[in-house]
């Protein structure tokens, strides 16, 4: 009897991780939404026209803590449940997962693994990579000092936070063609959208659109 109870205990212990994983996957979309809510709660308070002030720097520090916590949890969910499937989890869950990976700049290896996963999913569906891939691909490229292929990332100098320009670009004509293929707006229109979202509409100096950076 004692041996039976011991064996039963071992079996139950072995099942617990599976049960926990199943429960996590059942709440996958809800958990992603919660993580994104925390992510956006901080980022919605960013004001790039005042980015160098102590208050904004404090927000940045809080963002970093949230990003690390979200990334750690997201890696567990990916391992247990895979990348969210549009048909099973919905488009919003897929966007939420991508957004969280996009903000995992402290874990470049994880971002690159996700890029490979997105390419694999697109190939399996017989579809081209989507906008989510474009944004993440550019982010990783710039971190590795390579030109971005889709023109999704812009930057500004610390002393001129609202003088926003495109970071290192591939050949501009090729970038525009890649954007058009994914139904993304032209670079000039996209830049205006970014400036507006950064609360910089009234503080942008008159500058020409950035020319392609040298490769």
């Amino acid at each position: 009897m004692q041996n039976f109870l011991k064996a039963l205990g071992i079996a139950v212990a072995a099942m617990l991780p599976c049960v926990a994983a199943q429960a996590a996957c059942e709440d996958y979309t809800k958990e992603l939404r919660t993580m994104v809510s925390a992510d956006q709660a901080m980022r919605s308070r960013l004001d790039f026209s005042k980015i160098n002030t102590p208050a904004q720097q404090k927000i940045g520090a809080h963002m970093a803590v949230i990003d690390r916590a979200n990334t750690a949890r997201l890696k567990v969910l990916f391992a247990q449940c895979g990348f969210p499937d549009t048909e099973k989890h919905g488009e919003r869950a897929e966007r939420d997962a991508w957004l969280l990976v996009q903000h995992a700049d402290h874990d470049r290896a994880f971002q690159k693994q996700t890029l490979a996963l997105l390419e694999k999913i697109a190939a399996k569906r017989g579809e081209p990579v989507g906008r989510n891939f474009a944004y993440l691909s550019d982010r990783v490229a710039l971190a590795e000092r390579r030109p971005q292929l889709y023109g999704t990332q812009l930057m500004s100098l610390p002393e001129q936070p609202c003088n926003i320009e495109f970071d290192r670009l591939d050949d501009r004509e090729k970038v525009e063609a890649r954007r058009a293929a994914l139904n993304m707006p032209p670079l000039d229109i996209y830049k205006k959208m970014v400036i507006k979202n950064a609360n910089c509409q009234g503080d942008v100096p008159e500058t020409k659109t950035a020319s392609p950076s040298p490769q």
Side-chain angles (χ1 to χ4, degrees):
M1 184 67 175
Q2 186 175 2
N3 289 337
F4 171 76
L5 292 176
K6 182 178 180 180
L8 180 61
I10 293 174
V12 170
M15 290 173 59
L16 287 177
C18 296
V19 173
Q22 183 177 359
C25 293
E26 289 177 354
D27 292 332
Y28 199 2
T29 57
K30 185 184 298 184
E31 188 162 0
L32 288 172
R33 194 92 287 269
T34 299
M35 294 161 70
V36 167
S37 294
D39 174 290
Q40 293 298 292
M42 281 291 103
R43 282 178 167 80
S44 66
R45 296 170 61 188
L46 281 178
D47 184 342
F48 282 87
S49 66
K50 303 175 182 177
I51 202 67
N52 296 318
T53 63
Q56 288 292 304
Q57 290 175 353
K58 187 175 182 180
I59 291 173
H62 287 319
M63 278 172 46
V65 172
I66 291 172
D67 288 347
R68 288 182 179 277
N70 279 345
T71 299
R73 181 55 183 161
L74 192 63
K75 292 168 78 171
V76 172
L77 289 172
F78 277 12
Q80 294 177 342
C81 317
F83 194 85
D85 180 80
T86 303
E87 293 184 4
K88 182 178 180 181
H89 303 101
E91 290 185 5
R92 188 169 73 174
E94 188 174 4
R95 288 196 304 270
D96 286 349
W98 159 78
L99 180 70
L100 296 170
V101 176
Q102 180 89 340
H103 294 160
D105 291 325
H106 59 281
D107 196 335
R108 200 67 62 192
F110 176 54
Q111 289 183 321
K112 295 178 75 170
Q113 290 169 5
T114 304
L115 277 176
L117 181 59
L118 290 174
E119 283 186 303
K120 185 177 180 180
I121 292 173
K124 186 176 181 180
R125 295 173 177 172
E127 302 173 350
V129 294
R131 293 187 181 191
N132 293 348
F133 178 91
Y135 277 87
L136 185 57
S137 174
D138 280 352
R139 205 171 182 106
V140 171
L142 291 177
E144 296 180 341
R145 300 184 182 280
R146 294 183 285 108
Q148 52 180 326
L149 300 181
Y150 300 92
T152 63
Q153 307 296 306
L154 294 93
M155 63 171 291
S156 63
L157 297 175
E159 62 273 17
Q160 294 180 306
C162 281
N163 187 4
I164 299 174
E165 296 290 354
F166 288 100
D167 210 331
R168 181 185 299 243
L169 279 174
D170 189 23
D171 178 81
R172 191 180 182 92
E173 186 175 341
K174 293 179 180 178
V175 172
E176 293 282 25
R178 294 187 192 103
R179 293 180 66 86
L182 296 179
N183 293 318
M184 300 172 75
L187 290 171
D188 287 343
I189 294 177
Y190 175 66
K191 178 183 173 182
K192 291 178 180 178
M193 293 166 59
V194 171
I195 290 173
K196 182 177 179 180
N197 288 336
N199 296 319
C200 285
Q201 302 94 306
D203 302 301
V204 185
E206 290 294 329
T207 58
K208 295 181 180 180
T209 303
S211 58
S213 302
Q215 297 188 26

